[in-house]
Amino acid sequence: MSSLRQFEPLALPCMEAAFNLAFWLVRSRADAEDIVQEAYLRGFRGDDMRPWLLAIVRNTAYRWLSNRRRSGTVISLEEAFAEGSGQSTDDIASDEPTAEERLIGAAERDYVLRALAELPPAFREVLVLREIEGLAYREIAEVTGAPVGTVMSRLSRGRGELRKVLTRLMGKDEPNAM
């Protein structure tokens, strides 16, 4: 009982970040909730709750995706966001306004979410952890199990790819774009 009292104050403030990461990896609200629940059931080990929890969420999400691929029920992001699919790029991980929503206007936010969804998972996860969740390079390295140099490289390449996709999306959607 006392361990639960110690766990809750450390774990509950990290729940939104855990859910956001799970959502961006698996692109399903219900599955992201299941992944976060599974991660919380593993119990805390270590000194810093947030990187530990996000590493567990990441590993659980990738294991979940791997199992889904084997069962043949995974669809591509293109199929998920195709017209008439019922999915929307506005289906964000949390109903509460996040730091990203406060900083980015509604139209720009839509572009960023659409562009982020097109990135490979390795770039998407480090961008979500750094730019949306505000983790330091060292914390991202702990979560992903990659060296800090690799994290920095993925962030740089991911930002470049995000910039390319945003340029393409904004050019395609603006009638007077060149």
Side-chain angles (χ1 to χ4, degrees), residues 115 119-120 123 127 156-166:
L119 295 181
F123 295 154
L127 285 169
S156 177
R157 291 179 56 205
R159 288 174 180 142
E161 291 300 314
L162 185 65
R163 191 175 303 111
K164 287 179 192 174
V165 174
L166 281 169

Side-chain angles (χ1 to χ4, degrees), residues 101-115:
E101 290 172 324
R102 285 182 235 123
L103 294 174
I104 302 171
E108 291 172 337
R109 186 178 144 270
D110 184 54
Y111 281 122
V112 171
L113 294 176
R114 287 171 46 198

